[in-house]
Amino acid sequence: MKNLRTFVAVDVSSAVRRYAESLKDELAACLTGIHWTRRENMHLTLKFLGDVPETELAGVCRAVRLAVADRDPLEIEWVGLGAFPSEQRPRTLWIGIRQGEDLLRTLQEQIDEKLIQHGFAPERRRFHGHLTIGRISRREGLTEDQQAQVKGMIEREAATDGVLMVVDEVTTFSSFLNPEGRVYQPIDHARLGTI
């Protein structure tokens, strides 16, 4: 039996991808040692499932469709730059959500609940919607100057206009490696408000 590395996510719009690419380009001009997220791989993860036997995928997709069937589409606003675990010690760079995160969190909780009923472990951490744009690959992290540049961009981006996006579908993806890097392949699309 074959297992597929699987997750449930929102595929982001082309406008959000353009916004992310503009921030990446600006950051890449002043930072080194970053593994940047490829444009085609940008997504908002709602639930990571890990390795799932192929025989269970139909049930997973059905659970996700049921979780979103009674939900209306929602609008979110992507804006700002952030860092995990902190601005002082950034390891992951991401774009956040200014508007609509509460509705998105409710959607994520409904998906989590349906998948718990399907045998998956519940999320332990509180959901924080974000779009990862880069991971710092150097063990020593960023220099002080680079940290200051990132902090300055975080402060600047907090005051900018965001990019609005309608979430009307969630996608179950499989993930695998090929010579060019990680590839995310859609398994199923679940539209909000439909079964």
Side-chain angles (χ1 to χ4, degrees):
M1 180 186 332
K2 185 178 175 186
N3 289 343
L4 289 178
R5 191 172 174 88
T6 307
F7 63 94
V8 180
V10 173
D11 204 6
V12 297
S13 69
S14 57
V16 174
R17 290 176 203 274
R18 283 192 301 274
Y19 175 61
E21 287 289 320
S22 70
L23 288 179
K24 277 175 43 181
D25 290 347
E26 188 175 349
L27 286 162
C30 61
L31 303 181
T32 57
I34 311 293
H35 175 74
W36 299 108
T37 303
R38 294 190 331 219
R39 181 184 179 97
E40 64 272 17
N41 284 354
M42 291 181 182
H43 64 274
L44 166 64
T45 302
L46 297 173
K47 176 80 174 173
F48 178 73
L49 302 173
D51 292 330
V52 177
E54 275 187 312
T55 55
E56 292 182 26
L57 288 176
V60 165
C61 294
R62 188 169 39 258
V64 172
R65 284 193 301 270
L66 287 171
V68 304
D70 65 347
R71 294 299 312 248
D72 290 328
L74 56 112
E75 187 174 68
I76 59 177
E77 181 186 17
W78 291 96
V79 71
L81 183 65
F84 292 139
S86 69
E87 292 177 22
Q88 292 72 35
R89 290 184 18 257
R91 301 302 299 172
T92 301
L93 301 172
W94 48 265
I95 298 170
I97 297 171
R98 177 187 292 158
Q99 168 192 318
E101 185 159 25
D102 289 344
L103 293 171
L104 195 60
R105 182 176 294 115
T106 301
L107 176 66
Q108 185 275 333
E109 289 168 353
Q110 284 183 261
I111 291 169
D112 194 39
E113 185 178 307
K114 286 290 184 197
L115 289 168
I116 290 168
Q117 294 169 16
H118 202 70
F120 290 93
E123 285 296 327
R124 292 187 306 247
R125 293 179 292 179
R126 180 174 166 83
F127 177 74
H128 176 78
H130 66 280
L131 176 64
T132 298
I133 60 171
R135 289 186 172 84
I136 296 163
S137 51
R138 295 190 328 242
R139 176 176 287 149
E140 66 274 11
L142 300 178
T143 66
E144 284 186 27
D145 285 348
Q146 290 173 326
Q147 287 177 21
Q149 288 174 305
V150 169
K151 189 172 189 288
M153 278 187 69
I154 288 171
E155 290 169 0
R156 183 197 76 200
E157 286 301 309
T160 63
D161 292 335
V163 178
L164 293 174
M165 181 185 125
V166 173
V167 176
D168 59 2
E169 178 179 89
V170 298
T171 304
T172 302
F173 286 95
S174 66
S175 169
F176 57 92
L177 283 172
N178 72 14
E180 290 80 44
R182 193 155 292 282
V183 175
Y184 302 139
Q185 180 149 0
I187 298 170
D188 190 58
H189 302 278
R191 294 195 59 81
L192 274 64
T194 61
I195 293 183

